Amino acid sequence: MFEDCFAHLGKDALYQSSGAAPFPIRVLIKQPDTAYEMGDGQVIGHMAIFEIRTHELAFPKVGDQLIIADNRYKIFSEPLRDASNTVWEITAMVMEG
């Protein structure tokens, strides 16, 4: 069932680390608008939460990028593994052109 989610609901993406060539992966994506603190105010950010299988991506890190169609996302918080250590949960911010 787990693999079916990625097969049917997942999207093709490219993962790019600093200084490396991008490579293809499959991701599940949630795109909630999220309020977060910045200085003395709150900002509504266009963020996305990605789920990526650990066998496709060994060591994601802050600053790396995900590319889906014409959208580019930059990882801005430490990626976390789920309880089974099979999926990364990655929070990224939409990069403006």
Side-chain angles (χ1 to χ4, degrees), residues 75-87:
I75 299 173
F76 74 91
S77 65
E78 250 345 280
L80 301 172
R81 287 189 218 189
D82 70 348
S84 66
N85 283 324
T86 58
V87 174

Side-chain angles (χ1 to χ4, degrees), residues 7-70:
H8 297 294
L9 302 174
K11 294 188 180 204
D12 291 325
L14 292 173
Y15 188 88
Q16 186 167 21
S17 289
S18 178
F23 60 90
I25 59 173
R26 190 101 174 136
V27 301
L28 294 175
I29 182 172
K30 297 182 264 182
Q31 291 184 293
D33 280 341
T34 304
Y36 59 94
E37 303 286 326
M38 184 173 277
D40 292 331
Q42 264 195 353
V43 177
I44 301 296
H46 298 287
M47 297 177 10
I49 300 168
F50 295 92
E51 290 184 355
I52 302 171
R53 294 172 287 200
T54 56
H55 73 267
E56 287 191 271
L57 182 61
F59 300 106
K61 60 185 184 297
V62 173
D64 288 355
Q65 296 180 18
L66 290 151
I67 305 159
I68 301 174
D70 293 332

